[in-house]
Amino acid sequence: MDGPALSGWERRLLEEIESDLRQDARLDRKLSTMGAKRPSRVLGTLRSAGHRVSAAVVLTALVMTAICLSIGVRTPTTAVLTALGVVWAASVAAAVATSELLRRRRGTRRAESVDPDRPDREEGRERRPWDRPEAGG
């Protein structure tokens, strides 16, 4: 807690208020069970999938689905539908692979970037005029 500690009178007053509030059983039960609810498995799965799948992959899948459906509805032969399925799967797989490659490359760049708060990693960083105390007056 920031600031000065409570005085003895303030502590006694606070304890009296807390004891009065604890006597209300309904309020005490509500306050004791008011914590965060346990997240459901479905929401956790969707949230983790959202971290893994980028918006570009979803957009690619939606666009390719629309294109393949429009072509498949016009000429619904087995050969066309098979070819469309292969093209759709390949385009979504390419989008996933590209997204993963870019994510890894971005992660590598972040790991290699220089943290200005760590002086042991300053060797690759150019010193600016405001970084040099000897340059100032």
Side-chain angles (χ1 to χ4, degrees):
M1 184 170 101
D2 293 339
L6 296 175
S7 68
W9 177 77
E10 291 170 330
R11 277 185 294 204
R12 278 194 306 273
L13 187 60
L14 185 60
E15 287 172 5
E16 286 178 24
I17 293 171
E18 287 176 349
S19 68
D20 288 344
L21 289 174
R22 279 196 199 101
Q23 289 176 1
D24 186 356
R26 215 172 85 195
L27 176 64
D28 191 41
R29 187 172 53 252
K30 280 186 177 181
L31 291 175
S32 65
T33 60
M34 201 170 78
K37 293 181 181 176
R38 191 171 165 221
S40 70
R41 289 185 180 188
V42 174
L43 288 177
T45 304
L46 289 175
R47 206 171 278 131
S48 67
H51 290 296
R52 286 188 220 124
V53 179
S54 70
V57 172
V58 173
L59 186 62
T60 302
L62 289 174
V63 168
M64 289 306 296
T65 301
I67 291 170
C68 290
L69 279 176
S70 66
I71 294 171
V73 168
R74 289 185 185 165
T75 53
T77 62
T78 306
V80 170
L81 294 177
T82 304
L84 289 176
V86 170
V87 168
W88 182 86
S91 64
V92 172
V96 168
T98 304
S99 174
E100 187 62 28
L101 180 68
L102 291 174
R103 181 178 292 145
R104 286 183 185 171
R105 188 175 290 171
R106 183 176 50 220
T108 304
R109 264 194 238 137
R110 281 188 188 150
E112 291 173 353
S113 68
V114 176
D115 187 1
D117 296 331
R118 292 184 51 195
D120 59 330
R121 303 224 18 215
E122 282 188 4
E123 62 272 357
R125 189 172 73 131
E126 176 185 336
R127 293 189 72 192
R128 298 166 299 231
W130 52 85
D131 288 338
R132 289 184 241 144
E134 65 273 2

